[in-house]
Amino acid sequence: VGLFRWQRANGGFGVAPAATAFETALALRALHAAGLAADTRTLAAEAHLQSTQRVDGSWDGSVAATAEAVLV
């Protein structure tokens, strides 16, 4: 899947040098829909997303990022 070229070393996804919760969540939804939920790269992205959740329950302090992350 070409989507993996956007995966960063920390497991997250993003087109900028750093992964974002929003882009990681969108990528995870696509990877799950493609039947790649068990792929180790997908699991790494899930771990990254879980590790970036804030104490207040949000991701990046963003309603959009949090909404996408919750849908994963």
Side-chain angles (χ1 to χ4, degrees):
V1 174
L3 186 58
F4 287 121
R5 71 181 171 158
W6 299 106
Q7 191 167 28
R8 302 294 168 224
N10 64 7
F13 283 82
V15 295
T20 68
F22 184 75
E23 290 170 302
T24 300
L26 289 177
L28 280 169
R29 290 182 62 203
L31 293 168
H32 287 183
L36 295 170
D39 188 289
T40 57
R41 297 166 294 180
T42 302
L43 298 175
E46 289 173 353
H48 170 74
L49 192 62
Q50 289 173 355
S51 74
T52 59
Q53 187 175 16
R54 292 182 174 190
V55 175
D56 68 4
S58 75
W59 278 268
D60 296 339
S62 162
V63 172
T66 301
E68 289 299 333
V70 169
L71 291 174
V72 173

